[in-house]
Amino acid sequence: MPTDPPAFRSDLPHSFPWSVFHRRHPALVTQLLDVVPYGPAQRAAVRDLLVESTTGVLEPLGEHAPDHAQWLAWGGRELYGRPWGEAPFLWAESYFYRRLLEATGYFRPGAWQGVDPFAPLKNAELAGPEVDGELAALDGLSELPDERRAAALLAAALWGNRADLSFRLQPPAAGTGTAGAPPSGLLVDHGPLLWSTLAAASSPRVCLIADNAGRELLPDLVLLDHLLAGGLAAEAVLYVKPHPYYVSDATTTDVLAAVERLYAAPGPQAALTGRRLRRALTTGALTLRTHPFFCAPLPFHDLPADLRTELSGAALTILKGDLNYRRLVGDRPWPATTAFAAAVGHFPSPVAALRTLKSEVVVGLEAPVVAALDATGTPWRTGGTHALIQVHHPAGTR
Ligand SMILES: O=P(O)(O)OC[C@@]1(O)O[C@H](CO)[C@@H](O)[C@@H]1O
């Protein structure tokens, strides 16, 4: 049995994980401190975190932290005191966002407790005038035959992960038309298996593990409404993060803002969708749930028993986004031709990943496609130009 490749780490200069800590996080901190008028102590704490995460060792959460013991159990006991680059990239990056909340006072009693550092960014995106145009496109979709409308809504949810939401009939061109790879940038399309899995299930429960708020969450909600209104889901569970995470990850507050954005939209279809979603939330057809594990620095292979049991009852669990993909397949440099089924066989239900590639891990690709993409010399793995709809149903093709 071949051993798994070692998990990605961020200690190799100029590697992608290294650039996330040494390039993206400094830019994020600059943006955050520009946008949110934190006081001197908070600003110093955020800046200290940046220095620690790029040059220092992993300092433990204070014993006052409500999840102090949890992070010890998640690996802090073995990792605290070691250089950030020596921890698995997934662990270190997740911890970076947890410590960012610590630095801003999110978990501490006081005026800033519970204040989402990324709320201004999320709200600005959602309030943007482009969103009205994008939601208005729903009116055009309503006249399409069911299959084409379903495909368009699935594509919107997929490409919404690139935060480039558009309810276009086709996903936006990848811009890197690569001979040997699909021109749309969609490298794997198991859409038909996704639909057939739902059609074959009796009174299916669909679970959607959300990724980002705003312009990704809107098409996710529209897709859930489509499944519920069309009878492809008898009930839906939308899993959100228990607290802010990775900048724009969605919390309950973000779901309410997105449903309100739909409800108040000028276009009739968006407003109707908003009304149906509000009703689905009140009747329980749509349930919001969360769990601490959704902010854990661990792969979904390590799902805690209660969450594993909860998800095992789903006819299909849809995971959105790049981070959820990394956690689903394991944040390791797998050969890109590794079978998706082999990488996700641990998951407790039939599973679908809707993901734009924004980090290096990928599985389930055909060798000629990988060769063609590599031959371009472009950052196809991390640039958000390519995407996957990958589905695994233990019973195989339905
Ligand atoms: O899960 P999302 O929102 O699709 O993407 C999150 C993410 O791509 O952003 C980081 C790079 O900035 C990655 O390490 C991480 O996976």
Side-chain angles (χ1 to χ4, degrees):
M1 181 73 175
T3 54
D4 293 349
F8 283 111
R9 295 182 2 175
S10 59
D11 55 349
L12 179 64
H14 308 297
S15 65
F16 174 76
W18 182 93
S19 71
V20 168
F21 278 90
H22 292 258
R23 301 283 182 266
R24 292 188 187 209
H25 288 172
L28 167 66
V29 163
T30 299
Q31 184 184 40
L32 178 65
L33 297 184
D34 281 350
V35 167
V36 185
Y38 288 117
Q42 292 155 300
R43 306 174 85 79
V46 170
R47 291 196 177 102
D48 289 350
L49 171 61
L50 205 50
V51 171
E52 178 195 317
S53 64
T54 49
T55 63
V57 299
L58 290 153
E59 299 294 343
L61 283 176
E63 295 197 358
H64 65 280
D67 49 353
H68 166 73
Q70 179 66 82
W71 276 89
L72 283 173
W74 278 340
R77 199 167 281 115
E78 297 76 27
L79 291 169
Y80 288 153
R82 294 177 60 181
W84 280 69
E86 289 184 11
F89 174 39
L90 175 67
W91 202 101
E93 195 178 17
S94 301
Y95 191 55
F96 176 85
Y97 285 104
R98 172 58 186 85
R99 289 283 303 282
L100 194 59
L101 295 181
E102 195 66 22
T104 61
Y106 182 87
F107 283 105
R108 261 200 312 281
W112 293 91
Q113 185 171 29
V115 175
D116 181 345
F118 311 116
L121 297 173
K122 292 175 176 178
N123 298 340
E125 182 189 59
L126 198 58
E130 313 83 22
V131 171
D132 276 330
E134 290 160 353
L135 294 181
L138 283 174
D139 296 330
L141 291 184
S142 61
E143 285 124 44
L144 286 177
D146 282 356
E147 222 168 276
R148 280 193 60 199
R149 186 165 79 251
L153 294 177
L154 185 63
L158 170 71
W159 292 102
N161 179 235
R162 196 168 67 167
D164 179 18
L165 172 75
S166 167
F167 289 101
R168 294 183 197 142
L169 305 190
Q170 289 302 329
T176 54
T178 307
S184 71
L186 181 53
L187 300 179
V188 176
D189 183 2
H190 291 169
L193 178 55
L194 184 148
W195 299 118
S196 63
T197 295
L198 293 177
S202 58
S203 64
R205 179 194 308 149
V206 174
C207 295
L208 192 149
I209 300 178
D211 181 27
N212 295 322
R215 291 170 65 182
E216 176 170 0
L217 188 58
L218 282 170
D220 293 345
L221 287 165
V222 173
L223 180 63
L224 287 177
D225 170 67
H226 173 78
L227 297 180
L228 288 167
L232 278 173
E235 59 173 313
V237 183
L238 177 58
Y239 288 95
V240 293
K241 297 301 189 293
H243 57 68
Y245 191 61
Y246 277 72
V247 187
S248 40
D249 279 54
T251 63
T252 299
T253 300
D254 300 314
V255 172
L256 299 182
V259 170
E260 189 55 32
R261 189 69 169 88
L262 284 160
Y263 187 82
Q269 282 305 318
L272 174 61
T273 301
R275 283 198 299 277
R276 283 196 301 243
L277 285 166
R278 281 170 68 116
R279 187 163 58 243
L281 286 166
T282 58
T283 63
L286 172 60
T287 308
L288 298 187
R289 291 187 63 80
T290 191
H291 190 288
F293 191 76
F294 288 119
C295 286
L298 302 173
F300 285 130
H301 190 281
D302 300 333
L303 278 173
D306 58 342
L307 192 50
R308 178 173 291 277
T309 302
E310 201 174 308
L311 291 168
S312 64
L316 182 68
T317 300
I318 300 171
L319 289 96
K320 288 297 311 303
D322 187 78
L323 176 59
N324 278 327
Y325 189 89
R326 291 168 59 199
R327 297 184 71 186
L328 174 65
V329 306
D331 201 34
R332 300 172 182 272
W334 305 106
T337 52
T338 303
F340 182 70
V344 304
H346 63 82
F347 201 82
S349 81
V351 62
L354 303 186
R355 179 242 183 162
T356 55
L357 281 74
K358 292 184 277 189
S359 62
E360 293 170 299
V361 65
V362 65
V363 296
L365 300 186
E366 299 296 328
V369 172
V370 179
L373 290 164
D374 283 342
T376 65
T378 60
W380 62 273
R381 288 171 181 258
T382 57
T385 53
H386 293 79
L388 305 165
I389 299 175
Q390 291 179 313
V391 178
H392 171 61
H393 193 304
T397 309
R398 306 294 295 172

